[in-house]
Amino acid sequence: RKEVEQDPGPFNVPEGATVAFNCTYSNSASQSFFWYRQDCRKEPKLLMSVYSSGNEDGRFTAQLNRASQYISLLIRDSKLSDSATYLCVVNMTPGGSYIPTFGRGTSLIVHP
Amino acid sequence: NAGVTQTPKFQVLKTGQSMTLQCAQDMNHEYMSWYRQDPGMGLRLIHYSVGAGITDQGEVPNGYNVSRSTTEDFPLRLLSAAPSQTSVYFCASSSTHRVGSYNSPLHFGNGTRLTVT
């Protein structure tokens, strides 16, 4: 079982829709959590960090559920430009350091 | 405003050739890492370093060597290229990954697209 799992999608939604992705992780000692966005195999770019109390950045809301070991990303009022792959990243601890572990990504396609 | 710089952007190798992918960062980051990305596989960690002189293996280290003689540079060496190493390679860095410290997000280079024939 992969340590960080995401539904690969694709999620195909119309402009203006609300869409949510989940990401589950296996290591309960995991600390930091992030969502990245990746376009057409360009480099991943940080979308937002995920804080314990949940956080919002414009149309994007991230939540952390430690008890069930998942994080979520909610996108409201989807735009065509939101079409991308969304990567979940969890920092895990194989030793004395936190090592970022990536999910395989969820593909989002926003159509007119 | 360089951030993480990877060279080359594209490379074609013949089976058995060796080469080094360069990665440099100018942000004084402690943590540096190499990933490869293949269709349907996501980003897989090859090697990482938590500081100068310290390296460790990731998920898919076979066929690759690294060294970290300075904080700024983290080259990835392919010892004897194989077609299975055809991939997109990303170098990434962040300021700290120590337990108990704030874990900053990763900064990525633009990637190196490698084809081995």
Side-chain angles (χ1 to χ4, degrees):
Chain A
R1 176 170 171 247
K2 198 158 167 50
E3 294 178 297
V4 178
E5 299 216 41
Q6 295 182 252
D7 180 345
F11 286 66
N12 207 318
V13 303
E15 270 186 293
T18 295
V19 62
F21 312 134
N22 278 348
C23 167
T24 58
Y25 59 94
S26 60
N27 186 334
S28 60
S30 298
Q31 289 295 321
S32 306
F33 307 88
F34 306 93
W35 284 102
Y36 284 73
R37 171 194 168 123
Q38 187 175 29
D39 296 287
C40 294
R41 301 191 84 196
K42 291 191 175 179
E43 75 274 21
K45 293 188 176 172
L46 178 69
L47 180 65
M48 57 197 303
S49 303
V50 185
Y51 302 123
S52 297
S53 55
N55 48 298
E56 191 173 300
D57 182 2
R59 297 182 292 108
F60 299 85
T61 301
Q63 298 275 359
L64 167 63
N65 185 318
R66 284 194 186 274
S68 301
Q69 293 181 208
Y70 74 87
I71 66 172
S72 63
L73 177 68
L74 180 79
I75 305 175
R76 288 182 299 278
D77 188 24
S78 298
K79 312 289 184 196
L80 296 176
S81 56
D82 293 335
S83 298
T85 296
Y86 291 84
L87 302 168
C88 160
V89 181
V90 177
N91 282 11
M92 300 193 171
T93 53
S97 301
Y98 288 121
I99 303 303
T101 302
F102 282 77
R104 293 185 183 181
T106 296
S107 175
L108 172 66
I109 301 169
V110 181
H111 58 82
Chain B
N1 198 24
V4 180
T5 303
Q6 279 184 246
T7 55
K9 284 188 167 34
F10 301 93
Q11 183 71 50
V12 179
L13 291 177
K14 290 187 176 2
T15 297
Q17 287 184 314
S18 62
M19 79 159 294
T20 298
L21 278 60
Q22 302 291 345
C23 176
Q25 51 91 9
D26 61 0
M27 298 171 282
N28 202 30
H29 283 173
E30 290 183 351
Y31 180 86
M32 295 187 75
S33 55
W34 278 101
Y35 291 87
R36 60 176 289 173
Q37 187 172 36
D38 304 291
M41 299 296 291
L43 282 152
R44 293 184 291 169
L45 183 64
I46 304 171
H47 285 284
Y48 65 95
S49 168
V50 298
I54 306 168
T55 63
D56 210 340
Q57 296 181 349
E59 183 185 353
V60 288
N62 292 342
Y64 307 95
N65 272 358
V66 292
S67 59
R68 184 92 181 272
S69 54
T70 66
T71 299
E72 294 76 22
D73 299 298
F74 191 47
L76 178 72
R77 279 182 288 278
L78 279 70
L79 308 171
S80 177
S84 61
Q85 293 179 305
T86 294
S87 188
V88 179
Y89 292 84
F90 290 106
C91 178
S93 71
S94 72
S95 59
T96 182
H97 274 266
R98 271 177 265 133
V99 173
S101 300
Y102 168 69
N103 291 174
S104 62
L106 289 167
H107 296 252
F108 281 84
N110 290 340
T112 296
R113 281 144 184 83
L114 175 68
T115 302
V116 183
T117 60

